[in-house]
Amino acid sequence: MEGSIRSARIHEYNKPLELDNISKPAIRGDEQVLVKVGATGLCHSDLHLINGEWKDILPLNLPKTPGHEIAGWVEEVGKSVPENIVKPGDLVAVFGGWGCGSCIYCKSGDEQLCSFAKWPGLSSFDGGFSEYVLVPSYRFLVNVAGLGVHPENLAPLTDAGLTPYRAIKKVKSTLGPGKKIGIIGIGGLGSYAVQYAKILGSGSKIFALDRSNSKLELASKCGADYQINIQSTENLVDRIRTETEGKMLDVIIDCVGTDRTFYDSINILAKGGTIVVVGLFGTAAKIPIASTVLNEYRILGSLWGNYNELREVIELLKDGKIKSNTTKFNLDDVNKAINLLKDGQIVGRGVLIP
Ligand code: FEH
Ligand code: ZN
């Protein structure tokens, strides 16, 4: 069909996505940019959304195209898009926190924290499980033309590769020789987290924790010093005590975020240690008040990353300091990819190629 594009869309919660032919989005605003999608990462947040788990907190008008980890080529630009920022043909990474640009969070550079933030595929805007995506402003694009990076390695950087970067930057000053950092969950985010722990950890020892041996193998390739299978380890606390000679872990990056991983984290944390929660699997966890106070535990949340942090992780990719570990799927196989992700069968980040 002339002027039509293919998009994988949610029509009903908890049902397979439908591959629809829809009209190609048209530029209607001066700052807008139409991006031809090169690759879109598949995130656990997409599963929460598709399953309807988030329908009260992130209500959507269905049908909706998910996908918030997008890289592609500029196809068309609005009248006021400066040519020295982006022009047709440029490869771009799409920064996913579309802030208002005016509130204190946006003004301080953290647009992902904007109280009015929109996210592609998680809000009124359609996302990247599609051949094209309409981006409301060129401000949300990082131009990587000529940097020699591929869309399938770039797309996951916009969330999976960005979220753990911000989280580890928050605790960087507490890391160093003799310190120990644990990464819980070696999924899409975790394999990047291990690489950042190596780069930003100043010699800290890295502990990877997961239930899957193949994911732990990936962690080892990414630089983890210890791999601990939390499913087959009988007593996690004893195991960590042994491996750390009683010191326990100074920092834990929880890329899963269930009450179980939170409870495990508290039990294996060193005095004065910090847990940074970035995973969104659970709903609530109990905090043991006495040990949190007596041990001066610090518990932080970290959301996504900001535009400048995205530029920084792209620099790391460009310089070969980090690697994106991906499993590629054609857009036609979107439901297969979703089911594999649900079953924990994707090693690294699943990436859809339209
Ligand atoms: C999810 C929902 C809303 C905002 C941001 C997020 C990210 O964690 C995307 O994975
Ligand atoms: Zn995500």
Side-chain angles (χ1 to χ4, degrees):
M1 215 196 312
E2 178 71 16
S4 86
I5 65 164
R6 279 166 13 105
S7 293
R9 303 198 296 173
I10 310 170
H11 281 254
E12 223 182 301
Y13 288 120
N14 224 354
K15 289 272 158 57
L17 300 188
E18 291 181 31
L19 269 161
D20 296 325
N21 285 306
I22 59 167
S23 315
K24 189 174 176 182
I27 299 269
R28 292 192 202 287
D30 292 352
E31 285 194 10
Q32 290 181 346
V33 177
L34 181 66
V35 173
K36 183 176 180 353
V37 176
T40 299
L42 177 58
C43 174
H44 273 284
S45 298
D46 298 317
L47 300 190
H48 297 300
L49 194 79
I50 293 165
N51 291 343
E53 285 162 50
W54 286 357
K55 64 176 187 295
D56 296 326
I57 50 166
L58 290 177
L60 300 176
N61 282 329
L62 301 182
K64 170 69 51 197
T65 309
H68 52 275
E69 286 189 353
I70 310 163
W73 297 273
V74 171
E75 171 96 354
E76 216 183 309
V77 296
K79 298 206 277 284
S80 65
V81 175
E83 209 195 335
N84 57 351
I85 301 223
V86 285
K87 58 182 182 318
D90 288 347
L91 179 63
V92 290
V94 180
F95 172 68
W98 295 350
C100 69
S102 305
C103 72
I104 52 166
Y105 303 103
C106 289
K107 289 289 182 200
S108 69
D110 279 331
E111 292 214 17
Q112 82 284 7
L113 298 181
C114 173
S115 310
F116 316 101
K118 305 281 185 203
W119 305 281
L122 292 161
S123 67
S124 51
F125 289 92
D126 279 319
F129 292 5
S130 178
E131 290 175 312
Y132 288 88
V133 68
L134 187 63
V135 179
S137 171
Y138 62 89
R139 290 195 300 111
F140 305 130
L141 301 176
V142 179
N143 194 339
V144 301
L147 294 192
V149 295
H150 291 280
E152 61 264 31
N153 295 328
L154 189 60
L157 273 197
T158 64
D159 176 17
L162 180 56
T163 303
Y165 181 71
R166 179 174 176 87
I168 295 180
K169 268 181 64 175
K170 283 183 201 276
V171 290
K172 187 179 170 342
S173 65
T174 70
L175 294 169
K179 299 289 183 180
K180 292 152 193 77
I181 174 169
I183 310 294
I184 302 190
I186 310 298
L189 280 70
S191 75
Y192 288 107
V194 171
Q195 299 178 68
Y196 300 135
K198 198 92 195 159
I199 296 169
L200 302 173
S202 314
S204 300
K205 287 274 184 288
I206 304 166
F207 289 69
L209 298 92
D210 201 286
R211 293 182 304 187
S212 144
N213 285 336
S214 48
K215 292 182 183 175
L216 289 169
E217 253 169 56
L218 174 61
S220 160
K221 282 192 197 130
C222 292
D225 301 290
Y226 299 84
Q227 297 82 43
I228 296 179
N229 188 317
I230 37 181
Q231 185 138 288
S232 57
T233 300
E234 225 164 82
N235 187 322
L236 180 64
V237 179
D238 282 350
R239 173 83 189 273
I240 297 287
R241 192 174 289 120
T242 307
E243 304 282 16
T244 62
E245 293 162 344
K247 297 199 174 83
M248 313 309 272
L249 304 180
D250 301 284
V251 167
I252 294 171
I253 308 295
D254 183 357
C255 299
V256 181
T258 59
D259 51 352
R260 176 77 224 197
T261 55
F262 187 79
Y263 179 77
D264 282 344
S265 298
I266 290 269
N267 284 322
I268 57 177
L269 198 61
K271 202 179 262 248
T274 309
I275 301 173
V276 191
V277 185
V278 295
L280 283 166
F281 263 93
T283 46
K286 276 197 174 149
I287 297 178
I289 305 285
S291 60
T292 300
V293 173
L294 295 178
N295 294 298
E296 289 204 338
Y297 292 146
R298 299 192 315 150
I299 297 161
L300 310 179
S302 190
L303 178 69
W304 217 320
N306 65 31
Y307 183 89
N308 285 327
E309 288 161 344
L310 177 57
R311 297 185 74 108
E312 288 167 22
V313 296
I314 291 172
E315 281 295 313
L316 292 173
L317 182 79
K318 181 200 86 183
D319 292 344
K321 301 264 195 292
I322 57 164
K323 185 175 175 294
S324 292
N325 297 283
T326 61
T327 305
K328 293 186 233 357
F329 298 91
N330 287 325
L331 184 59
D332 302 80
D333 293 326
V334 61
N335 290 308
K336 178 178 155 199
I338 287 170
N339 288 331
L340 287 171
L341 181 63
K342 256 186 211 160
D343 293 344
Q345 300 288 332
I346 297 182
V347 177
R349 195 55 144 185
V351 166
L352 297 169
I353 313 287

